[in-house]
Structure formats: structure tokens, C-alpha cells
């Protein structure tokens, strides 16, 4: 992996954890770096970035303060998404809210312009990027 690309991935993860960057800016930076999708596992505290040639890069993230709830609530996940989009919460608050909603992680498809949030039992909720549908 190119060291410049690795530095971008690490900075996007760190800047998210430190609440210095918004989701749209993360997606834009990752797209320029050639990332086509990424998976954030809240339980393992890591994000894996996927490239078109099949290579991947894993970056550790800030550990979650609590485990995901057993029951998944798509409505509560959607509410957390709307709150962070509106700027009423930041990334740390978002992570806490989705964990309480039973979210164990998410997959962001930059190519597909969507995020799929999933729970411990496999339940999921899809959020489309603004203007993607």
C-alpha cells in the first residue's frame, strides 16, 4: 500500500474519532484516495478500506464505550443519522446513539452511494447519500 494512501486512511479515521471532519468530507477524501467502500466494526474498533484491485487496509479506531444493544432499531439509527446531518450531535454522540440502537457496524459504499447499518442479528437499515436516489 502506498504510504500516502495509508496516511489518508489513518487521518480520516483519526479525524472522525476526534470529531474534526464530517462524513461528506471523509467520503470525498477516500474517493480521491481510490477507496470504493469501507466497513466500520464498532465491536472490534476498526475500519477496513477496500480498493478496486482487491487490496484492503485496516485501521484501528476508538473503542466503543458500550456494546451494541441486542435489539436493532432502524428508526433509532435513522434518527441518529438525521441528528448528525443536522449538526445537533457529533461523531461520538452518533456512535453512542447507534450502539444504543443495536448497531454493531456499517458498510459505506462510495460507489453505491449508501451506508448499510447492521445489528447483531443481521437486521439492517440503508441510508442513501443525499441526492443518490
Amino acid at each position: 500500500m502506498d504510504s500516502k494512501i495509508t496516511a489518508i486512511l489513518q487521518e480520516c479515521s483519526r479525524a472522525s474519532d476526534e470529531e474534526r471532519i464530517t462524513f461528506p468530507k471523509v467520503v470525498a477524501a477516500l474517493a480521491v484516495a481510490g477507496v470504493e467502500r469501507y466497513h466500520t466494526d464498532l465491536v472490534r474498533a476498526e475500519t477496513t478500506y477496500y480498493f478496486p484491485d482487491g487490496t484492503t487496509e485496516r485501521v484501528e479506531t476508538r473503542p466503543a464505550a458500550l456494546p451494541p444493544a441486542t435489539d436493532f432499531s432502524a428508526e433509532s439509527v435513522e434518527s441518529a443519522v438525521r441528528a448528525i446531518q443536522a449538526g445537533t450531535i457529533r461523531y461520538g454522540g452518533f456512535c453512542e446513539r447507534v450502539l444504543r440502537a443495536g448497531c454493531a457496524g456499517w458498510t459505506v459504499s462510495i460507489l453505491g452511494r449508501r451506508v448499510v447499518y447492521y445489528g447483531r442479528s443481521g437486521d439492517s437499515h440503508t441510508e442513501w447519500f443525499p441526492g443518490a436516489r
Side-chain angles (χ1 to χ4, degrees):
M1 180 68 51
D2 180 293
S3 62
K4 291 179 185 177
I5 300 297
T6 297
I8 291 168
L9 304 179
Q10 291 172 342
E11 175 56 18
C12 283
S13 290
R14 188 172 37 257
S16 293
D17 284 343
E18 295 172 359
E19 300 179 331
R20 294 186 283 111
I21 194 168
T22 63
F23 176 74
K25 289 183 180 181
V26 167
V27 169
L30 295 176
V32 168
V35 174
E36 65 178 19
R37 64 188 166 93
Y38 68 93
H39 171 249
T40 297
D41 187 326
L42 295 171
V43 177
R44 290 183 51 91
E46 64 185 26
T47 296
T48 305
Y49 298 92
Y50 298 84
F51 294 86
D53 65 0
T55 60
T56 63
E57 180 92 10
R58 186 173 45 88
V59 176
E60 291 183 11
T61 59
R62 180 174 292 156
L66 59 133
T70 303
D71 296 324
F72 183 81
S73 170
E75 296 81 16
S76 295
V77 169
E78 183 177 2
S79 175
V81 170
R82 298 296 170 264
I84 199 166
Q85 287 173 334
T88 57
I89 61 172
R90 296 178 69 169
Y91 186 68
F94 172 79
C95 289
E96 183 177 325
R97 282 182 62 174
V98 297
L99 284 161
R100 291 186 189 284
C103 181
W106 54 79
T107 298
V108 175
S109 174
I110 295 171
L111 291 176
R113 300 181 42 85
R114 71 191 87 173
V115 183
V116 178
Y117 298 90
Y118 64 87
R120 293 164 61 174
S121 65
D123 291 329
S124 65
H125 171 71
T126 301
E127 279 289 327
W128 294 88
F129 290 9
R133 290 184 85 177

